[in-house]
């Protein structure tokens, strides 16, 4: 039985995070690995999340509208709940956007190197994907005038902006984004802010509130709920309703909804974790420089590290129970991506690197 033709050209996008089959082959369990390959809060979720989850009734269907969570998010962002859609992680929302807005032949622009799901979801819908690529010799900074030229040249149905960007940790100017949104009213700009809470003083696109902008937020990274899968989209009601129509029912499970509410209420925990992670980054960078590496400056807690062979570097560290992200799938085979973790864990990373390099 042949699947749709687009499926045949689709490659599965590698990600960070444990690959359980690979760990099994190495005789390791996920608990034995320190994971620098996912960009999550290394201090874990608020203890209030576990308490809240313990009370959950699981033989009842979850609220398909995520009402309580959306109300809490609407208070958090000072927006009406009608402008918010809960999702089974931001990943589901990216796929929903493609499913809802793309037809074969539509043009989609991505700003690379970037998160692979934008192109993958768009390819499944038969879209034509154009990829602007930031340059290593410019520290992977976004060249906004080049992007502007691309936007002027072609009419795009969707533009995916990852801000701050994975894997480079570069940030786009919100003034530039606002200008593009105004100049191209027929294009939907999807701004993925999965990592915005890890930055300081970087304004969010949530404030722009144009009819052709959709902001995606993840609660798996800063709130450390990766295993539960939780994200949300913020946009005008027309977009939110259209996305909702494409979404499978009950896609946000009851544990995720309850955990999201508890996590959101404990802002003190979040802020403390973020502060500690920010504080741990500079010493890690300095130690890597001392070992002879040249980490690429970034505006978040994760960063690119040039190495000779990213895949080999990752494999050798994984054998020692340390996981980093091999960046070959971003078109950067001679880099790994490392997310800052707790100071004691960062020390273990440095020790493991010293061992494999000698
Ligand atoms: C930029 C970006 N967006 C979205 C996601 C997916 O996040 P979630 O866990 O909320 O599905 C990731 C995960 O790595 C990511 O890097």
């Amino acid at each position: 039985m042949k699947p749709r033709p687009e499926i045949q050209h689709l490659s599965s996008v590698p990600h960070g995070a444990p690959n359980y089959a690979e760990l099994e082959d190495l005789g390791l369990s996920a608990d034995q690995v320190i994971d620098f390959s996912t960009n999550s809060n290394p201090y874990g979720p608020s203890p209030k999340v576990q308490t809240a989850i313990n009370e959950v009734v699981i033989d009842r269907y979850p609220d398909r509208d995520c009402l309580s969570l959306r109300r809490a998010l609407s208070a958090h962002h000072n927006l009406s709940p009608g402008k918010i859609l809960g999702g089974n992680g931001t990943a589901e929302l990216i796929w929903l956007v493609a499913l809802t807005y793309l037809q074969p032949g539509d043009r989609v622009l991505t700003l690379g190197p970037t998160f692979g799901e934008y192109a993958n979801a768009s390819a499944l819908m038969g879209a034509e994907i154009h990829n602007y690529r930031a340059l290593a010799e410019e520290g992977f900074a976004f060249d906004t005038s080049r992007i502007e030229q691309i936007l002027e040249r072609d009419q795009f149905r969707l533009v995916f902006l990852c801000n701050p960007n994975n894997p480079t940790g570069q940030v786009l100017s919100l003034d530039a984004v606002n200008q593009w949104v105004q100049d191209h009213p027929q294009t939907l700009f999807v701004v993925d802010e999965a990592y915005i809470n890890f930055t300081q003083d970087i304004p969010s696109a949530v404030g722009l509130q144009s009819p052709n902008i959709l902001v995606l937020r993840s609660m798996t990274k800063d709130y450390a709920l990766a295993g539960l899968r939780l994200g949300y989209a913020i946009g005008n009601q027309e977009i939110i309703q259209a996305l909702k129509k494409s979404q499978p029912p009950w896609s946000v499970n009851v544990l995720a909804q309850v955990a999201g509410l508890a996590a959101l209420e404990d802002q003190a925990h979040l802020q403390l974790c973020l502060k500690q992670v920010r504080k741990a980054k500079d010493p890690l960078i300095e130690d890597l420089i001392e070992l002879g590496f040249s980490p690429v400056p970034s505006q978040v807690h994760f960063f690119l590290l040039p190495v000779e062979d990213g895949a080999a570097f990752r494999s050798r560290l994984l054998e020692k129970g340390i996981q980093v992200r091999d960046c070959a799938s971003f078109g950067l085979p001679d880099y790994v991506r490392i997310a800052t973790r707790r100071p004691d864990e960062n020390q273990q990373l440095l020790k493991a690197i010293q061992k494999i390099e000698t």
Side-chain angles (χ1 to χ4, degrees):
M1 185 74 149
K2 273 200 169 169
R4 289 172 43 185
E6 291 86 359
I7 290 277
Q8 286 162 30
H9 307 294
L10 220 59
S11 49
S12 77
V13 178
H15 291 292
N19 174 340
Y20 292 87
E22 180 187 34
L23 293 183
E24 197 173 284
D25 288 346
L26 289 170
L28 289 168
S29 74
D31 289 338
Q32 293 170 301
V33 174
I34 309 179
D35 187 4
F36 293 84
S37 76
T38 34
N39 303 321
S40 298
N41 166 2
Y43 291 93
S46 157
K48 292 179 182 157
V49 167
Q50 193 63 54
T51 311
I53 282 179
N54 290 345
E55 302 292 313
V56 168
V57 175
I58 58 166
D59 60 354
R60 202 159 50 213
Y61 275 86
D63 173 2
R64 75 192 78 175
D65 296 314
C66 298
L67 258 184
S68 305
L69 179 61
R70 280 174 45 239
R71 283 189 185 128
L73 286 167
S74 84
H76 183 73
H77 288 288
N78 200 16
L79 291 165
S80 83
K83 293 188 162 182
I84 299 173
L85 177 70
N88 189 262
T90 317
E92 185 201 22
L93 297 164
I94 292 166
W95 282 78
L96 275 187
V97 170
L99 187 62
T100 311
Y101 285 96
L102 292 178
Q103 297 188 58
D106 280 346
R107 288 195 189 92
V108 171
L109 178 65
T110 60
L111 307 188
T114 196
F115 189 51
E117 294 300 325
Y118 313 135
N120 219 27
S122 305
L124 182 61
M125 302 314 295
E128 199 182 282
I129 297 143
H130 297 242
N131 185 26
Y132 152 91
R133 208 167 157 83
L135 304 173
E137 52 273 30
E138 292 172 5
F140 297 104
F142 291 112
D143 180 341
T144 46
S145 46
R146 248 181 75 214
I147 298 168
E148 224 154 87
Q149 283 166 9
I150 297 170
L151 286 170
E152 289 300 329
R153 207 178 51 213
D154 283 314
Q155 171 83 48
F156 293 97
R157 175 83 166 140
L158 277 184
V159 177
F160 284 101
L161 310 173
C162 186
N163 203 30
N165 186 44
N166 170 17
T168 61
Q170 292 297 309
V171 168
L172 266 170
S173 131
L174 197 61
D175 285 344
V177 174
N178 194 20
Q179 195 60 52
W180 302 338
V181 167
Q182 304 303 323
D183 289 349
H184 304 279
Q186 304 307 321
T187 301
L188 177 59
F189 288 82
V190 180
V191 187
D192 182 345
E193 294 186 349
Y195 299 110
I196 196 150
N197 279 339
F198 289 95
T199 62
Q200 255 180 325
D201 308 324
I202 298 209
S204 163
V206 169
L208 299 182
Q209 293 198 31
S210 274
N212 58 330
I213 189 163
L214 182 76
V215 179
L216 305 182
R217 288 288 184 98
S218 173
M219 292 188 74
T220 68
K221 292 135 193 339
D222 42 8
Y223 292 98
L225 302 176
L228 288 175
R229 317 296 307 121
L230 186 61
Y232 57 98
I234 299 178
N236 79 1
Q237 297 206 2
E238 198 188 313
I239 300 177
I240 294 298
Q241 279 166 14
L243 293 175
K244 175 84 180 145
K245 280 189 189 166
S246 316
Q247 188 175 39
W250 310 293
S251 99
V252 185
N253 73 71
V254 65
L255 294 171
Q257 292 189 36
V258 167
L261 254 181
L264 200 62
E265 276 166 15
D266 196 351
Q267 287 298 309
H269 174 82
L270 174 70
Q271 293 311 327
L272 182 63
C273 296
L274 294 174
K275 194 170 151 194
Q276 286 172 317
V277 177
R278 281 188 206 114
K279 204 167 145 201
K281 182 186 168 191
D282 284 351
L284 172 60
I285 296 277
E286 282 158 23
D287 287 344
L288 284 166
I289 292 172
E290 203 147 293
L291 291 180
F293 291 93
S294 305
V296 181
S298 83
Q299 296 192 51
V300 271
H301 64 305
F302 59 81
F303 51 88
L304 289 171
L305 188 73
V307 291
E308 238 165 59
D309 176 343
F313 189 87
R314 172 189 179 277
S315 298
R316 275 150 55 212
L317 280 180
L318 191 58
E319 284 163 12
K320 306 214 167 307
I322 299 281
Q323 186 170 348
V324 297
R325 172 71 152 90
D326 153 27
C327 290
S329 69
F330 294 110
L332 302 169
D334 41 3
Y335 288 81
V336 292
R337 190 193 64 208
I338 293 177
T340 307
R341 293 190 60 91
R342 303 192 312 245
D344 56 314
E345 296 173 318
N346 297 339
Q347 284 306 316
Q348 293 192 55
L349 166 71
L350 292 161
K351 274 194 200 129
I353 291 179
Q354 276 172 300
K355 276 196 194 137
I356 66 163
E357 291 288 291
T358 50

